[in-house]
Amino acid sequence: MSPARDLRRRAVTAFSLLPRGRMLPDEVWQRRHRAVVRVAAAQAALLVLFGAFLGHAALACVAGGVLVAAPLVLALPASQGRKLRSAGASVSLFLASTVLVQFWEGQTEAHFHFFVMVGLVALYQDWVPFSIGLGVVVVHHGLLGALRPQFVYSHHAAHEHPWAWMAVHAGFVLAASLTHLASWRLNEQQGLRDPLTGLANRTLLQEFLTRALARRDEVGVLFVDLDDFKNVNDSRGHAAGDQLLLAVAQRLRACVRGGDLVARLGGDEFAVVIHGGHAPARRVGERFLASLAQPVDVEGQQVHVHASLGTADTATMCGSRSELDASAELLRNADLAMYWAKSSGKNRLVAYSEGMAKEAQDKAALREDLGRALALGQLEVHYQATIDFRRTVDGEQPRAKGYEALLRWRHPERGMVPPLEFVPLAEASGDILPIGSWVLRTATQQAARWTAERGYPVGVAVNLSAVQLASDDVLAVVRDALRDSGLRPHQLTLEVTESLLVDDLEAVSARLAQLRAAGVLVAIDDFGTGYSSLSYLRRLPVDTVKIDRSFIGDLTHGGSATTLVASIIELARSLGLDVVAEGVETEQQAQVLRDLSCTYAQGYLYARPQPAGEVPADPAQVPAQAPAQAPVVPAIVADPRTRVPR
């Protein structure tokens, strides 16, 4: 290695040991700056009094005070930037040190003031004020002390050997400065690193990104959120979760270049700042997703982990913001893209595009309205009949086995909000718990009312979300609804979606077993769309399987859809389960299902969801809102075979 290259390498190593400086939070910086300015102003006033006390001329005393106070003109205006304001305060502090030495005629104790001021400007944790302080000391002690020692030192030895005295003072100032720098560097390492992974934390990420934007660098941000990480903590414990986070951090770090920054924001969220903009950020995201294809070894077991990723780059920002605001905007854009990836099915990478912010604002407004919807009476329960295929042969009219209770939201401004839009928001906010409890009470009371009016049992099915099923209060809520309404437990069916089974089959099975022990029936909704296999049916405490409408729509074309539906029906029959076909819209679909010996059907061919007041009280009436495309069919007749004991 050449001497020049070796010297350059050593210089780089030395500079890497120095602190980089902090972008302190605005509140912290303002608080420290106000304290420094107060000290500087107080020193200006005290120096006037101190000079007068020592017998200096009044004009000299006032001039010294004005000299110290003058730089504060730059430090006071809030409209100025941090560096200019801190520079003005620092100049004032060290001018006070020089004036003090002059007033005290070079007394050795006066020089201690410089050491105190070095520590004070270190509070800024910024190189501008710190360099100003060192520069003033060098000029005063070095240049002036060597050329005119009588103005700096009172001791006669300093006048005879100025260079020696300058070296002694320089050594002490250097030692004090290095002490502050070491403390500064240690504080940066401890306050800017995630203690678990060693990655940068949110503060360092913000500072790194702000500096890059201040340099007008083209950068991209990759926002990473692990999918279903909570399940790992809940099922395997937090120690296993920490191991998984460490492994993920290592893989993420391996996907970036040397100049990029990887940070852990907290929990299972990570972010990466990547130089070069959109294309490099996308490549890093794709490499990371590819790395997650390999399972992670956690406590000797292979764990598959997936992540949702969002990217945003400097081209997506507004051009009129400050660097601090721009960095926050860039992180927000990447965060929005990540949530878009998560809502689109998870385990994917999505780039931010214009319109995502507006949609996020709309969702936030909708979530806020949803929190008040129940109290304002905007929520409704509609009912859709379930038809008994066993009673629709030989020309008989279709019979209603019961009704499914479906939640609807009639927004005062937006009209009817689709459940797919507001139910996920309710689950995320926790509002689904009071809303779900209200739906359950309303549906059971309505079924009990129909039972009393019609003289035979009317069943009702109510959907349970994952949040409700995971709640420890779900069993008490169901029992209270049954007790308050007077509905028999076997008239209530609780529906859970198949996707819940993949989260934790054993826990879901145990909770469903508790509900069945209370006497209610359990159905698997949207069967065939999740990740479970048909073999799961024998392990689950369920009574009914509801085949998803996507398979029913393809029945008339034959092929794999018919084969799958036939397999589900045959397996359910062997396990003693009922089968409900969802989304039946044509007589051709209904005929195929009857030929396959399907038990029940539900769809627009027979009835649309309706408010309770519009559900025909006379079973011979034609259903309201019958679809125009459907052929004329016999009216619904509720099954009157079993009557309520008197």
Side-chain angles (χ1 to χ4, degrees):
M1 182 181 296
S2 65
R5 182 174 299 178
D6 181 62
L7 182 62
R8 190 183 310 112
R9 183 183 61 82
R10 293 177 181 275
V12 170
T13 302
F15 278 113
S16 68
L17 298 177
L18 296 174
R20 299 186 59 183
R22 290 289 308 277
M23 291 292 297
L24 295 172
D26 191 63
E27 180 182 355
V28 175
W29 190 92
Q30 295 289 355
R31 186 166 58 247
R32 294 186 181 185
H33 180 67
R34 285 194 296 269
V36 171
V37 169
R38 291 192 186 103
V39 171
Q43 288 187 151
L46 290 174
L47 281 173
V48 175
L49 299 177
F50 186 72
F53 174 77
L54 294 179
H56 292 284
L59 183 60
C61 296
V62 173
V66 171
L67 180 65
V68 172
L72 295 180
V73 174
L74 299 176
L76 292 176
S79 58
Q80 302 290 354
R82 287 188 180 186
K83 294 188 181 301
L84 185 60
R85 297 175 69 190
S86 61
S90 301
V91 170
S92 174
L93 293 177
F94 285 95
L95 284 179
S97 298
T98 60
V99 170
L100 177 64
V101 170
Q102 296 305 310
F103 279 178
W104 214 344
E105 297 177 348
Q107 189 72 23
T108 301
E109 288 78 1
H111 292 266
F112 296 159
H113 193 272
F114 283 96
F115 297 101
V116 178
M117 296 302 103
V118 169
L120 192 57
V121 296
L123 292 175
Y124 284 113
Q125 294 186 253
D126 188 279
W127 277 105
V128 169
F130 199 82
S131 300
I132 288 175
L134 292 182
V136 172
V137 173
V138 168
V139 170
H140 183 264
H141 283 66
L143 184 61
L144 188 61
L147 300 179
R148 293 289 187 269
Q150 64 273 15
F151 292 109
V152 179
Y153 308 111
S154 62
H155 201 282
H156 66 278
H159 301 165
E160 298 177 1
H161 307 286
W163 292 102
W165 275 68
M166 182 195 71
V168 171
H169 279 258
F172 278 107
V173 172
L174 179 62
S177 300
L178 290 177
T179 301
H180 288 295
L181 290 175
S183 175
W184 184 0
R185 174 68 173 172
L186 289 174
N187 286 334
E188 282 189 351
Q189 291 176 336
Q190 293 176 1
L192 299 177
R193 294 287 170 181
D194 174 58
L196 174 64
T197 62
L199 299 176
N201 62 11
R202 186 182 293 271
T203 303
L204 180 55
L205 173 74
Q206 185 82 46
E207 294 181 6
F208 184 90
L209 186 56
T210 301
R211 289 193 182 95
L213 294 176
R215 296 192 302 265
R216 300 295 186 266
D217 292 347
E218 186 178 2
V219 297
V221 172
L222 182 69
F223 206 103
V224 180
D225 185 272
L226 301 186
D227 296 332
D228 305 315
F229 176 73
K230 182 177 181 296
N231 296 336
V232 177
N233 276 338
D234 293 344
S235 60
R236 301 176 183 272
H238 289 278
D242 289 347
Q243 288 187 27
L244 182 60
L245 290 174
L246 283 169
V248 169
Q250 292 172 359
R251 295 189 184 186
L252 191 54
R253 191 187 287 116
C255 295
V256 302
R257 301 162 299 183
D260 302 330
L261 181 75
V262 182
R264 181 188 176 207
L265 304 182
D268 60 342
E269 289 185 340
F270 299 83
V272 187
V273 179
I274 302 150
H275 291 282
H278 171 71
R282 188 169 190 87
R283 286 195 294 269
V284 170
E286 291 171 347
R287 285 198 297 268
F288 179 62
L289 285 176
S291 72
L292 293 183
Q294 298 299 321
V296 177
D297 184 88
V298 177
E299 297 180 340
Q301 297 183 358
Q302 298 296 305
V303 176
H304 290 272
V305 59
H306 302 290
S308 298
L309 281 64
T311 65
D313 60 275
T314 45
T316 68
M317 300 186 308
C318 299
S320 58
R321 298 177 182 268
S322 67
E323 288 80 10
L324 195 60
D325 293 336
S327 64
E329 180 191 7
L330 192 54
L331 287 170
R332 185 211 62 180
N333 291 349
D335 192 13
L336 287 173
M338 182 276 295
Y339 275 107
W340 191 275
K342 195 170 286 289
S343 63
S344 300
K346 303 179 180 180
N347 192 30
R348 64 192 64 207
L349 171 66
V350 171
Y352 175 82
S353 61
E354 189 176 357
M356 286 185 179
K358 184 179 185 305
E359 181 164 343
Q361 292 172 354
D362 289 342
K363 282 188 176 181
L366 196 64
R367 185 184 297 112
E368 185 176 350
D369 292 344
L370 182 59
R372 302 187 296 264
L374 183 59
L376 296 176
Q378 298 171 2
L379 300 181
E380 302 174 2
V381 178
H382 289 195
Y383 300 87
Q384 185 176 28
T386 300
I387 303 305
D388 189 345
F389 266 153
R390 297 170 301 180
R391 305 290 293 171
T392 59
V393 296
D394 300 328
E396 293 189 31
Q397 294 177 328
R399 312 260 181 179
K401 167 185 176 287
Y403 300 88
E404 180 181 2
L406 300 168
L407 178 62
R408 297 291 185 264
W409 181 12
R410 194 180 300 276
H411 194 280
E413 298 175 358
R414 302 171 185 252
M416 295 299 289
V417 182
L420 288 178
E421 287 189 19
F422 72 84
V423 170
L425 298 179
E427 291 179 332
S429 64
D431 290 331
I432 194 65
L433 293 176
I435 292 175
S437 177
W438 173 80
V439 171
L440 189 62
R441 293 195 309 272
T442 302
T444 52
Q445 289 170 4
Q446 184 60 57
R449 190 177 301 114
W450 280 333
T451 297
E453 293 172 354
R454 302 179 186 182
Y456 54 83
V458 176
V460 66
V462 179
N463 292 278
L464 283 185
S465 74
V467 178
Q468 290 175 276
L469 195 63
S471 172
D472 294 333
D473 297 331
V474 64
L475 190 59
V477 170
V478 171
R479 285 174 172 167
D480 290 346
L482 291 171
R483 183 191 66 243
D484 296 342
S485 65
L487 191 71
R488 299 292 181 85
H490 67 272
Q491 293 176 248
L492 173 63
T493 300
L494 298 176
E495 297 185 3
V496 296
T497 58
E498 183 194 1
S499 58
L500 291 179
L501 307 179
V502 73
D503 294 336
D504 192 338
L505 180 62
E506 299 302 326
V508 172
S509 297
R511 183 54 55 86
L512 294 180
Q514 291 177 336
L515 293 170
R516 285 189 83 217
V520 302
L521 305 180
V522 175
I524 300 179
D525 198 11
D526 301 332
F527 192 84
T529 60
Y531 302 95
S532 63
S533 67
L534 295 176
S535 62
Y536 282 7
L537 288 178
R538 63 182 177 82
R539 301 171 55 189
L540 292 170
V542 299
D543 304 278
T544 303
V545 173
K546 301 187 71 174
I547 305 175
D548 186 69
R549 66 181 63 247
S550 60
F551 300 107
I552 305 305
D554 294 335
L555 275 182
T556 54
H557 305 295
S560 59
T562 303
T563 302
L564 179 58
V565 171
S567 301
I568 295 174
I569 293 174
E570 184 61 30
L571 178 62
R573 182 186 295 111
S574 67
L575 296 174
L577 305 178
D578 290 329
V579 178
V580 177
E582 297 182 289
V584 180
E585 297 185 355
T586 67
E587 182 58 39
Q588 291 83 356
Q589 295 169 353
Q591 186 58 51
V592 173
L593 290 168
R594 283 193 291 266
D595 293 341
L596 294 175
S597 301
C598 184
T599 321
Y600 305 104
Q602 189 177 13
Y604 286 178
L605 176 61
Y606 302 108
R608 289 175 177 265
Q610 299 169 288
E614 299 178 17
V615 173
D618 182 357
Q621 294 178 5
V622 178
Q625 300 179 346
Q629 72 275 17
V632 178
V633 297
I636 300 174
V637 177
D639 191 347
R641 291 175 296 170
T642 306
R643 293 192 173 273
V644 178
R646 299 295 182 185

